[in-house]
Amino acid sequence: MTYQNNLGHMLTMADAKTLIALFSLWEEQDYGEWVTFTEYQIVDRLDMGMGGRQYQLVRNSLDKLRNTSVVFQEAYEIETAQALYVMISGIASMESTSKYIKEDGVYEIPLEEVYGTLFLEDRNPKNKAVVEKGCEELKSIDIIKEFSFIKEGRSYTKLEIENTDWLKDILGKKDYIRGSGRIKQLTFNDIK
């Protein structure tokens, strides 16, 4: 699945989750030409808890999705490097990064979550190659310094990424992370 936003907005994981909630509601309505819903149904479906902040997140996502075209494609056609880049910047903007970023600054992300971000089936043996190709592309344009797959037992379970100094600097800027109380999503256009 890939998308194009007519206003040039980059979608975040929150937007993707809202889209999945909409697909779920559409399925419940037998895939009709139109889907009807309330903000409450989306917030409830996303299990976000109820409150003004949650409703605002959903409204922001709906505004972005309103101007977005979604295209389903085979997994190898996805702009993997862009999706990985968005995932890296999204992790850096989280309130608690310790789940994914080790003390030395290296990212350690469960492959199951990487595959989910890229909309890849968890058990497909080609997935590792798709992720590897995306990481190689990011490495070739000096976004990440190194990457590796961590094996536990007989299976690869995590992706380890070391960012370049440039990306560390971009992600570490205070106005990027906490500018005026809002978290800004770094977009792939920031590297061009």
Side-chain angles (χ1 to χ4, degrees):
M1 182 169 77
T2 187
Y3 70 90
Q4 177 180 346
N5 183 283
N6 296 335
L7 301 177
H9 294 288
M10 186 68 78
L11 299 183
T12 64
M13 286 306 296
D15 303 327
K17 289 176 182 178
T18 300
L19 181 61
I20 298 301
L22 287 170
F23 283 151
S24 174
L25 289 164
W26 184 43
E27 179 183 27
E28 283 180 7
Q29 297 174 23
D30 296 322
Y31 302 104
E33 191 172 322
W34 294 91
V35 61
T36 58
F37 60 92
T38 64
E39 290 175 350
Y40 172 83
Q41 287 174 302
I42 294 175
V43 170
D44 184 53
R45 187 146 314 221
L46 295 175
D47 197 26
M48 299 169 66
M50 296 295 165
R53 182 171 181 266
Q54 291 81 357
Y55 280 92
Q56 189 59 51
L57 286 171
V58 168
R59 278 187 210 109
N60 291 345
S61 290
L62 290 172
D63 283 341
K64 285 186 204 173
L65 292 170
R66 189 174 286 118
N67 293 295
T68 302
S69 302
V70 179
V71 179
F72 289 95
Q73 300 174 323
E74 293 296 321
Y76 60 87
E77 294 178 18
I78 289 178
E79 298 289 341
T80 306
Q82 287 182 347
L84 289 169
Y85 182 76
V86 170
M87 181 181 66
I88 290 168
S89 66
I91 289 171
S93 67
M94 293 170 58
E95 295 209 13
S96 175
T97 60
S98 61
K99 179 178 177 185
Y100 301 103
I101 303 175
K102 299 189 302 188
E103 286 185 24
D104 60 1
V106 173
Y107 285 54
E108 192 174 270
I109 310 162
L111 276 178
E112 182 179 289
E113 293 183 33
V114 174
Y115 296 157
T117 299
L118 300 175
F119 299 100
L120 299 172
E121 297 174 19
D122 189 34
R123 298 285 179 204
N124 188 333
K126 295 179 183 178
N127 290 349
K128 183 176 172 275
V130 171
V131 172
E132 189 168 8
K133 182 179 176 187
C135 287
E136 286 292 348
E137 188 175 331
L138 289 177
K139 191 174 173 184
S140 74
I141 57 175
D142 295 324
I143 299 296
I144 63 174
K145 186 185 276 185
E146 294 294 332
F147 71 94
S148 62
F149 294 92
I150 298 175
K151 198 171 192 175
E152 293 176 0
R154 297 174 59 194
S155 303
Y156 290 99
T157 58
K158 294 179 182 173
L159 172 63
E160 196 171 75
I161 297 174
E162 182 181 352
N163 294 328
T164 60
D165 291 337
W166 174 83
L167 187 59
K168 287 177 190 174
D169 182 53
I170 293 293
L171 297 177
K173 290 184 177 178
K174 291 189 187 306
D175 59 305
Y176 161 72
I177 298 295
R178 296 283 182 263
S180 64
R182 297 181 315 156
I183 295 174
K184 176 183 179 266
Q185 177 71 41
L186 187 64
T187 67
F188 200 71
N189 292 330
D190 293 332
I191 66 167
K192 292 183 180 178

